[in-house]
């Protein structure tokens, strides 16, 4: 018998941690960027960011006023018997976290503008469920802000344009977006699959720790070339000029239809918030 | 680059003395307005008959909590200012605010309106919501909360050294964003050529 209350409590804690505690890999990348910058303006932006990270961490207050929409990734083992309990607990935890953390009420009916004030709604929260070998369950909470999401894009390139087209589109787009997505950003790039899958892969690429490298050599080479070129644009922290426009570029791919070359870019601001909950077979939190 | 500590209402001379790259910290009355609030104020005038002369307008939708009957600000970083680009020139022509606080910069229409009205646009670090909340201090009043909801309402704060804020668009037609845009376009052309793209 799963302890539903304990599960909801753990998810509320995860949502609180997600809104207030920046993961260590992101903090390390921001600290490295601070050391790398050599102008007063760029260093001041990164110092304000790092001061803010420390303040939010110590006082458990939201890092950013845009606490995002709550995106959940649930990866359950084939032998995990409590998937339905997990899925049912998610909206209950979000509604509670909205008033307790608090989270900004961010879900709005596109037709009427009505806001239910609990961060729930039609198809909200966004929950992606995957299955894998094993009997446990891993829940990743990914609060996604609106400002950076607005700078995302999908291009249905021709196979003839291919990777050259992809690189050109990404560089032109980042130059255009400049400081609007709260640079330094993390860029998630999804290639192939289809229009929907390219976007899904691009967003999922953002779940990887900053600084991780795709095990596929071709994808890794693309990540490092794009990171170098994006940072050579000189947009810098908050678009005020500098060497750090992106902290990382993460590429994920699927095989493509021979006639298509779907390419998606999902942009993540420096406030790259993530929280992970690991459950054992009985649904007890073990991480 | 000079650092200033200003208190609202700010006078014309002080604003005219600011140059892009300067750093300021703002104390005194700061009020928030995003897209919806700009539209409401342009339609209905000053909120609650407030005198906006010399004040600071903040592009911000904060996270607020009510504790023992009092509003407390928890996170209040700037929102993307460019969404207000179509509204800001009219706003600056109509209301005598002197400082616009936001992030990401604004376009040529606002730059010209800042020059015309002797006002400045200053950038607060985006996402630094906890730091901004500390600088905003106490809530004096709130308008349009029922109609527009928490993020879009007009929150009026008594700020205590809100900052650091970079003067990124001054009252003399200079914009750091335009400078960075020009340089990054040159860099882009160079990179595309070098990579054979």
């Amino acid at each position: 018998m799963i302890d539903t209350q304990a599960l909801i409590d753990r998810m509320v804690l995860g949502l609180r941690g997600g809104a207030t505690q920046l993961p260590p890999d992101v903090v390390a990348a921001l600290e490295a960027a601070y050391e790398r910058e050599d102008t007063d303006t760029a260093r001041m932006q990164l110092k304000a960011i790092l001061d803010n990270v420390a303040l939010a961490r110590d006082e458990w207050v939201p890092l950013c006023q845009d606490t995002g929409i709550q995106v959940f990734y649930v990866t359950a083992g084939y032998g995990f018997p409590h998937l339905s309990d997990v899925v049912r607990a998610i909206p209950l935890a979000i509604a509670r976290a909205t008033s307790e953390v608090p989270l900004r009420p961010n879900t709005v009916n596109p037709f009427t503008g009505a806001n239910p004030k609990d961060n729930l709604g039609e198809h909200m929260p966004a929950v992606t469920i995957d299955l894998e070998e094993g009997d446990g369950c891993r829940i990743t909470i990914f609060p996604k802000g609106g400002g950076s999401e607005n700078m995302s894009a999908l291009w249905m390139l021709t196979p003839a344009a291919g990777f050259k087209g992809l690189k050109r589109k990404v560089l032109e787009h980042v130059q255009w977006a400049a400081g609007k997505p709260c640079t330094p950003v993390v860029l998630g790039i999804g290639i192939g699959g289809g229009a929907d899958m390219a976007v899904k892969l691009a967003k999922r690429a953002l779940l990887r720790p900053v600084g991780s490298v795709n095990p596929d050599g071709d994808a890794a080479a693309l990540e490092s070339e794009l990171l170098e070129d994006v940072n050579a644009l000189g947009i810098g922290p908050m678009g005020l000029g500098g060497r750090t426009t992106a902290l990382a570029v993460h590429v994920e791919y699927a095989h493509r239809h021979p006639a298509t070359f779907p390419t998606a870019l999902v942009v993540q601001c420096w406030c790259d918030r993530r929280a992970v909950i690991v459950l054992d077979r009985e649904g007890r939190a073990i991480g | 680059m000079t650092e200033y500590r200003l208190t609202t209402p700010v006078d014309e001379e002080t604003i005219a003395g600011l140059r892009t790259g300067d750093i300021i910290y703002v104390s005194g009355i700061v009020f928030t307005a995003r897209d919806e609030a700009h539209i409401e104020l342009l339609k209905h005038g000053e909120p609650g008959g407030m005198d906006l002369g010399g004040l600071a307008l903040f592009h911000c939708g904060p996270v607020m909590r009510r504790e023992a009957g009092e509003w407390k600000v928890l996170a209040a970083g700037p929102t993307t200012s460019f969404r207000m680009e179509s509204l800001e020139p009219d706003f600056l022509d109509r209301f005598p605010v002197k400082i616009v606080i936001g992030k990401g910069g604004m376009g040529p229409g606002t730059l010209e309106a800042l020059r015309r009205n002797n006002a400045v646009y200053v950038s607060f670090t985006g996402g630094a919501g906890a730091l901004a909340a500390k600088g905003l201090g106490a809530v004096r009043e709130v308008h349009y909360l029922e109609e527009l909801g928490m993020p879009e309402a007009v929150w009026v704060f008594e700020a205590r050294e809100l900052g650091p804020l970079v003067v990124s668009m001054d009252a003399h037609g200079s914009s750091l964003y335009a400078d960075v845009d020009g340089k990054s376009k040159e860099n882009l052309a160079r990179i595309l050529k070098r990579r054979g793209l």
Side-chain angles (χ1 to χ4, degrees):
Chain A
M1 201 37 199
I2 189 167
D3 183 345
T4 310
Q5 196 52 50
L7 181 62
I8 295 170
D9 289 348
R10 182 64 187 83
M11 281 187 191
V12 172
L13 182 64
L15 288 157
R16 184 185 295 275
T20 62
Q21 314 289 309
L22 204 63
D25 54 292
V26 184
V27 178
L30 289 165
E31 283 168 346
Y34 177 73
E35 294 304 323
R36 195 163 51 234
E37 294 291 349
D38 57 2
T39 65
D40 289 340
T41 308
R43 283 173 70 84
M44 202 189 77
Q45 296 306 312
L46 287 161
K47 174 154 192 316
I49 287 172
L50 291 166
D51 287 350
N52 184 71
V53 167
L55 194 62
R57 179 195 62 213
D58 295 346
E59 298 187 9
W60 285 81
V61 292
L63 283 147
C64 177
Q65 72 290 342
D66 184 355
T67 48
I69 56 167
Q70 308 305 315
V71 182
F72 273 68
Y73 293 88
V74 177
T75 305
Y78 294 121
F80 180 68
H82 302 294
L83 186 55
S84 59
D85 299 289
V86 168
V87 173
R88 286 195 193 108
I90 291 171
L92 300 174
I94 289 175
R96 223 180 88 195
T98 300
S99 61
E100 282 184 16
V101 174
L103 306 175
R104 197 171 72 182
N106 267 348
T107 51
V108 177
N109 182 310
F111 291 104
T112 65
N115 186 330
K117 298 187 177 161
D118 55 7
N119 279 306
L120 304 176
E122 197 67 21
H123 293 294
M124 281 287 138
V127 182
T128 300
I129 298 168
D130 290 295
L131 299 172
E132 63 177 16
E133 293 298 336
D135 59 6
C137 181
R138 193 174 62 253
I139 304 160
T140 303
I141 303 170
F142 183 46
K144 190 68 173 72
S148 59
E149 190 77 354
N150 270 344
M151 297 297 124
S152 302
L154 169 71
W155 302 289
M156 300 306 286
L157 301 172
T158 60
F163 282 99
K164 278 195 170 188
L166 176 155
K167 290 174 191 174
R168 189 182 179 101
K169 284 286 185 197
V170 169
L171 291 169
E172 286 173 348
H173 192 81
V174 172
Q175 192 282 326
W176 167 81
K180 289 194 280 292
C182 282
T183 46
V185 289
V186 180
L187 301 177
I189 295 174
I191 304 166
D196 58 336
M197 195 184 279
V199 179
K200 267 264 193 250
L201 287 170
K203 197 158 208 166
R204 194 159 210 144
L206 298 172
L207 300 184
R208 280 170 40 194
V210 169
S212 65
V213 176
N214 193 308
D216 180 289
D218 292 325
L222 181 61
E223 289 176 350
S224 104
E225 182 183 321
L226 279 174
L227 181 62
E228 185 190 329
D229 287 353
V230 160
N231 283 336
L233 288 171
I235 287 159
M238 292 300 143
L240 293 166
R243 297 176 170 178
T244 321
T245 303
L247 299 172
V249 177
H250 293 167
V251 172
E252 296 292 326
Y253 73 94
H255 280 59
R256 62 177 176 82
H257 184 286
T260 73
F261 202 104
T263 298
L265 171 67
V266 177
V267 182
Q268 169 61 49
C269 59
W270 67 260
C271 197
D272 184 8
R273 297 160 287 190
R274 283 170 260 133
V276 179
I277 301 169
V278 181
L279 305 178
D280 67 8
R281 194 178 189 284
E282 277 70 48
R284 287 179 303 232
I286 53 170
Chain B
M1 188 193 94
T2 318
E3 202 169 293
Y4 298 93
R5 283 177 160 69
L6 310 180
T7 302
T8 63
V10 183
D11 61 49
E12 300 283 351
E13 202 181 330
T14 304
I15 293 297
L18 296 173
R19 291 291 185 279
T20 50
D22 288 345
I23 307 297
I24 65 170
Y25 291 81
V26 173
S27 299
I29 300 293
V30 171
F31 70 97
T32 68
R34 305 207 323 172
D35 322 42
E36 299 286 339
H38 273 74
I39 294 167
E40 285 299 322
L41 267 52
L42 282 168
K43 223 186 277 175
H44 302 295
E46 290 84 351
M50 257 174 81
D51 179 2
L52 304 184
L55 298 190
L57 153 69
F58 188 11
H59 294 156
C60 171
V63 176
M64 308 292 298
R65 177 153 60 191
R66 192 144 201 168
E67 285 174 7
E70 303 238 334
W71 284 107
K72 191 175 174 244
V73 57
L74 297 180
T79 194
T80 305
S81 296
F82 212 82
R83 290 204 317 275
M84 276 64 78
E85 178 60 22
S86 63
L87 302 161
E88 211 68 271
D90 287 348
F91 197 93
L92 289 168
D93 288 343
R94 169 121 181 236
F95 303 110
V97 299
K98 288 286 139 194
I99 301 172
V100 181
I101 306 169
K103 74 161 172 95
M106 302 193 72
T110 298
L111 190 61
E112 177 52 28
L114 291 169
R115 199 193 51 72
R116 197 159 63 228
N117 294 289
N118 188 44
V120 293
Y121 174 89
V122 300
S123 304
F124 190 81
T125 306
L131 196 64
K134 208 170 150 192
L136 278 173
V139 177
R140 173 181 280 207
E141 56 198 59
V142 58
H143 303 278
Y144 294 110
L145 179 59
E146 275 310 304
E147 300 89 325
L148 302 181
M150 187 193 287
E152 299 289 338
V154 176
W155 295 92
V156 183
F157 294 98
E158 291 167 19
R160 291 169 308 186
E161 304 215 329
L162 173 63
L165 302 157
V166 185
V167 178
S168 49
M169 297 165 72
D170 66 21
H172 311 283
S174 171
S175 163
L176 287 184
Y177 294 101
D179 295 350
V180 171
D181 184 55
K183 281 184 201 139
S184 64
K185 273 186 182 134
E186 285 170 25
N187 291 336
L188 174 66
R190 195 170 42 75
I191 295 163
L192 293 180
K193 196 172 166 201
R194 183 162 57 85
R195 297 278 191 198
L197 302 176

